[in-house]
């Protein structure tokens, strides 16, 4: 449990900010600068080759790291060693609800050591951000989902106490190189120790998916809209897609008499999309 006036760190790490549109950077930085609770210190790490920084008032470090796992461990350790009680992670290509820090401070004071939230995807459209699907992970049981291998804790909006970091650090590079599971496996280790984890039932993160996620390794992944290149992970989810289709079809079948004609076109469109997805995966 935190002290009445905790020392809060907002950790920002980046390798090459020039690869992101300035609009993305502005949206991110404004969402940090305009937080309702401004009682925090920004710890910023450039782990590439340059001296570029995003915040004039940050505690700034420049030290080359091989990947974002090394960078993350370094910036969290720097904040921890500086006496911070709560460490808030960020991704520079996402942005945050303006009450994010305040909410996470409140819940950490209530005794939670690892705190995430619900989130919403951002879809690009011309020069604007369009909010897309909502992911209400707080409706799920963390331990139950972990036992099924599901990572429902949104890493870009994670806040963790200094006690949590001391007991469970670091992120393991082996986990990163073997399936990029470094965050999920850290949560698993924490759960086994009985850490108190919470997903706040509010959308505090707006999450952008794109070809140039943080970390240079992701830049090597070819992304094409018209040609899906399957990875083993994508192949493995085919049975789950088929289950969704089967369950969806059953719902439609047994609820056909009570479905409003206003939403039937939407349901038909979902069914058609699922059929197309299954066909694509099976033909690859």
């Amino acid at each position: 449990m935190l002290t009445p006036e905790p020392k809060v760190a907002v950790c920002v790490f980046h390798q090459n900010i020039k690869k992101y549109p300035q609009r993305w950077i502005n949206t991110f930085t404004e969402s940090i600068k305009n937080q309702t609770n401004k009682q925090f210190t920004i710890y910023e790490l450039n782990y590439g080759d340059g001296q570029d920084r995003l915040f004039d008032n940050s505690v700034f470090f420049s030290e080359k790291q091989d990947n974002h796992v090394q960078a993350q461990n370094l910036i969290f350790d720097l904040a921890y060693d500086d006496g911070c009680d709560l460490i808030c992670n960020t991704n520079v290509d996402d942005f945050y609800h303006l009450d994010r820090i305040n909410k996470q401070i409140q819940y950490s004071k209530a005794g939670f050591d690892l705190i995430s939230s619900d989130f919403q995807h951002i879809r690009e459209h011309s020069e604007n951000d369009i909010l897309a699907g909502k992911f209400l992970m707080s409706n799920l049981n963390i331990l139950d989902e972990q036992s099924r291998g599901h990572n429902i804790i949104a890493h870009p909006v994670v806040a963790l106490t200094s006690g949590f970091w001391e007991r469970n650090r670091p992120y393991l590079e082996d986990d990163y190189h073997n399936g990029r599971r470094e965050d999920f496996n850290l949560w698993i280790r924490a759960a086994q120790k009985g850490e108190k984890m919470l997903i706040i039932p509010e959308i505090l993160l707006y999450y952008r998916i794109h070809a140039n996620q943080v970390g240079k390794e992701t830049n090597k992944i070819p992304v094409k809209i018209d040609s899906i290149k399957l990875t083993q992970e994508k192949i493995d989810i085919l049975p789950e897609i088929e289950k969704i289709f089967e369950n969806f079809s059953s719902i439609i079948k047994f609820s056909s008499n009570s479905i409003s004609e206003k939403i039937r076109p939407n349901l038909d469109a979902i069914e058609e999309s699922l059929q197309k997805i299954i066909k694509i995966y099976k033909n690859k």
Side-chain angles (χ1 to χ4, degrees):
M1 187 176 296
L2 296 194
T3 60
E5 299 296 331
K7 184 176 181 178
V8 179
V10 172
C11 289
V12 178
F13 56 100
H14 48 81
Q15 183 186 44
N16 178 16
I17 58 176
K18 291 185 175 66
K19 67 185 177 183
Y20 298 133
Q22 189 60 46
R23 177 172 61 83
W24 295 8
I25 298 299
N26 292 344
T27 305
F28 165 72
T29 55
E30 289 302 310
S31 76
I32 300 299
K33 292 176 182 177
N34 294 324
Q35 288 288 309
T36 57
N37 188 323
K38 294 179 170 57
Q39 301 304 308
F40 58 83
T41 301
I42 300 172
Y43 292 79
E44 182 176 357
L45 170 66
N46 184 328
Y47 69 99
D49 293 318
Q51 294 292 321
D52 294 327
R53 62 191 297 174
L54 298 177
F55 298 92
D56 293 334
N57 63 335
S58 65
V59 179
F60 180 74
F61 305 89
S62 177
E63 184 172 331
K64 188 171 177 57
Q65 303 293 305
D66 291 336
N67 54 58
H68 76 261
V69 174
Q70 291 181 6
Q72 197 163 238
N73 283 328
L74 176 58
I75 193 69
F76 281 21
D77 279 341
L78 290 169
Y80 172 80
D81 292 341
D82 202 29
C84 290
D85 302 300
L86 186 68
I87 301 170
C88 301
N89 189 41
T90 65
N91 276 5
V92 299
D93 45 351
D94 303 324
F95 61 95
Y96 300 91
H97 190 284
L98 298 185
D99 210 24
R100 175 215 165 163
I101 303 299
N102 187 52
K103 294 282 185 181
Q104 292 185 310
I105 290 174
Q106 290 176 9
Y107 281 103
S108 63
K109 285 182 177 180
F112 292 98
D113 288 303
L114 176 66
I115 306 161
S116 182
S117 77
D118 292 335
F119 62 96
Q120 188 165 7
H121 275 163
I122 309 163
R123 186 172 71 241
E124 289 292 304
H125 180 71
S126 299
E127 293 301 314
N128 299 305
D129 291 330
I130 295 179
L131 297 180
K134 296 180 180 180
F135 290 78
L136 307 182
M137 300 303 187
S138 58
N139 292 332
L140 304 174
N141 182 284
I142 295 175
L143 297 181
D144 286 348
E145 295 302 316
Q146 284 180 332
S147 69
R148 298 181 177 94
H150 301 161
N151 186 6
I152 63 172
I153 298 176
H155 184 262
V157 73
V158 156
L160 47 89
T161 63
S162 57
F164 178 96
W165 187 239
E166 181 177 15
R167 293 186 294 270
N168 297 286
R169 67 179 173 183
Y171 294 94
L172 301 180
E173 282 197 74
D174 284 347
D175 291 339
Y176 168 71
H177 293 299
N178 295 312
R180 297 183 181 177
R181 296 171 59 87
E182 68 279 357
D183 53 343
F184 180 58
N185 286 351
L186 178 61
W187 315 153
I188 290 291
R189 296 198 304 274
Q192 291 171 343
K193 295 179 182 178
E195 300 285 1
K196 294 189 67 176
M197 299 183 287
L198 173 72
I199 298 176
I200 299 174
E202 298 179 50
I203 293 174
L204 302 181
L205 164 67
Y206 300 96
Y207 183 69
R208 194 186 309 274
I209 296 180
H210 58 92
N212 295 318
Q213 304 290 136
V214 172
K216 64 182 180 182
E217 284 77 11
T218 53
N219 296 343
K220 299 177 182 177
I221 300 174
V223 177
K224 296 183 179 180
I225 300 301
D226 58 349
S227 177
I228 299 176
K229 294 183 178 296
L230 291 183
T231 63
Q232 186 60 46
E233 290 81 6
K234 288 179 180 176
I235 293 172
D236 289 343
I237 69 169
L238 177 56
E240 296 302 319
I241 294 174
E242 291 181 315
K243 286 180 185 177
I244 293 171
F245 177 74
E246 291 170 359
N247 288 320
F248 179 80
S249 297
S250 296
I251 291 171
I252 298 301
K253 178 180 178 182
F254 291 109
S255 306
S256 57
N257 293 331
S258 59
I259 292 176
S260 169
E261 290 305 314
K262 291 183 179 180
I263 67 169
R264 183 171 292 281
N266 303 89
L267 297 174
D268 291 341
I270 294 172
E271 183 175 11
E272 181 181 355
S273 296
L274 287 169
Q275 289 175 325
K276 287 180 178 178
I277 291 171
I278 292 172
K279 184 177 180 180
I280 290 170
Y281 276 73
K282 285 186 173 179
N283 289 340
K284 291 293 179 178

